[in-house]
Structure formats: C-alpha cells, structure tokens
Amino acid sequence: MKDNIIHKASEMFMTLGFKSVTMDDIASEMGISKKTIYSHFNNKETIVAVVTDAIFEKVTKDINGICSFNKNPIEEIYDIKKRVMEHMHNEKASPWYQLQKYYPSIYGNIKKRQFSFMQNCVVENLNKGLDLDLYRQNIDVQFVARIYFNGITGIKDEDLFPTSMFNGKSLYEMYLEYHLRGIVTPYGRTILNQLIQSNQD
C-alpha cells in the first residue's frame, strides 16, 4: 500500500503541484481513507519528501542508463531531455516552484543532490564533446556545467517564466538549444541542426 500511495502521490504532485494536492485528494483518488495514508506517513510533508526522493532516484537511474549507450554527447543530452520531460509531465503546474516556495528545506536538499549528480553528468558530456570535436576547445568545462545547472533550475522559476507565457516542454527545448549553440563547433552545429530538424518532423 505504501508504494501505491507514493506512486499516486507522485502522479498528482507532478500534474497538479505539491501545494495544490491535499491528503484528502490523495485518499479520494485512491479510494482509501485518510487514516490509511497516515498509517504509513506522519503528514503531507513526509509524503512530499519521500516522493521527491523517489523521483530523483528514478530520473538519475534513467539518465545513467541513457549515458551507458555512449551516444554522441549532443544526441545524448537530447535523449536525457526527452526522458526528464516524461517524468516531469511537462510541469504544467510548476511543481518544483511550489516545492521551493512551500517546502524550502526539502527543495534545498533535492537541489544539492541534483547539482552533485548533474555536475558529474554534464562535465562528462562536455569532455566527451571536446574529445569528439563537437564542442569548442576554448570552453571552461566547470563554468559551462554550472551555468547549465543554473539555467535548468532557473527556468523553473514561475516569476521569471510564468506558465501563462511558457510551456514547460518548449521552454526546456529552447534552453537546451541556447546552451548547445553557445558551445558547439561547426561540426557540432551540423549535428545539432539535424537533431532539431528531426524533432520537428
């Protein structure tokens, strides 16, 4: 039952937002009593913490799986984007912004873990791109990796990028293209353009 609660809560939080979903909503959606949920979780904050941890573990496992295929780094980063968006359900309700605003300690913890994981992942991607002459040789890898993380987390800011103006999937795609066009070589640009064109077809 506990796993079922986590699964359903994950779906609801990512679709409707961490603040918007109540314990009553979860119980109603599952057709169980709120008492049953409380027998497994002390309060909503506990569920939020467990859910964010479960999502993080699932996403990082999938990203590691994509990286294991050893594709060219431009294609790899697009595959990662696609998988992340599947997990995030296009973030129509800005769940991570709600998490930051209403559960700051949980958000802070998950952001530290995200940074640690993404830093290693992006640095590896950048170094691979340099070896294959896809990324410019004069980039500072540590700088670009940190700017990338800052941008990925920054576009989730509802005040700067309100959902009324920006679709989550389109925003992610625009940022990814912005990031890559700043670092690719002419050879890398050819591959990037081909990927963008194939995604549009």
Side-chain angles (χ1 to χ4, degrees):
M1 177 57 72
K2 184 176 182 179
D3 288 342
N4 290 339
I5 295 171
I6 294 171
H7 178 73
K8 178 53 67 176
S10 296
E11 287 184 347
M12 296 179 72
F13 286 148
M14 296 313 300
T15 303
L16 303 171
F18 287 99
K19 170 65 175 174
S20 306
V21 177
T22 66
M23 298 287 266
D24 285 318
D25 293 332
I26 298 171
S28 176
E29 188 71 17
M30 295 187 69
I32 60 177
S33 68
K34 198 159 61 170
K35 183 178 179 181
T36 301
I37 297 179
Y38 280 120
S39 69
H40 295 282
F41 302 96
N42 293 332
N43 49 43
K44 181 184 171 183
E45 186 165 351
T46 304
I47 296 182
V48 171
V50 172
V51 164
T52 53
D53 182 69
I55 292 172
F56 175 81
E57 292 297 331
K58 175 62 175 169
V59 171
T60 53
K61 181 181 178 181
D62 284 357
I63 290 175
N64 283 330
I66 290 170
C67 293
S68 70
F69 290 119
N70 202 31
K71 294 183 177 181
N72 84 65
I74 297 176
E75 187 176 358
E76 177 183 271
I77 205 167
Y78 266 91
D79 284 351
I80 289 172
K81 183 268 299 183
K82 182 179 179 181
R83 186 61 56 85
V84 169
M85 290 309 301
E86 289 172 358
H87 281 293
M88 299 301 107
H89 301 281
N90 291 334
E91 301 192 349
K92 295 175 183 176
S94 301
W96 297 105
Y97 181 70
Q98 289 190 21
L99 185 71
Q100 180 181 11
K101 187 173 182 179
Y102 298 103
Y103 301 95
S105 61
I106 296 174
Y107 174 81
N109 178 61
I110 207 73
K111 186 175 181 180
K112 286 179 182 177
R113 295 175 67 192
Q114 284 178 329
F115 174 74
S116 178
F117 175 79
M118 282 187 63
Q119 187 68 7
N120 291 331
C121 183
V122 176
V123 165
E124 186 175 325
N125 180 278
L126 291 170
N127 283 327
K128 192 190 304 182
L130 289 171
D131 290 341
L132 296 174
D133 195 34
L134 295 172
Y135 300 153
R136 291 186 290 106
Q137 293 296 319
N138 62 344
I139 64 171
D140 185 309
V141 169
Q142 289 296 328
F143 172 78
V144 173
R146 283 166 167 77
I147 285 292
Y148 181 75
F149 177 78
N150 195 52
I152 284 295
T153 54
I155 62 175
K156 299 179 191 298
D157 189 325
E158 177 70 12
D159 291 331
L160 290 174
F161 299 97
T163 52
S164 60
M165 292 179 62
F166 299 97
N167 170 271
K169 181 181 179 181
S170 298
L171 190 59
Y172 199 160
E173 288 177 347
M174 285 189 289
Y175 178 71
L176 187 56
E177 182 178 349
Y178 176 82
H179 161 73
L180 287 169
R181 288 203 182 280
I183 63 173
V184 292
T185 60
Y187 173 49
R189 190 179 304 115
T190 300
I191 294 176
L192 175 59
N193 289 338
Q194 289 172 348
L195 273 172
I196 292 173
Q197 184 61 45
S198 66
N199 286 336
Q200 292 174 344
D201 293 340

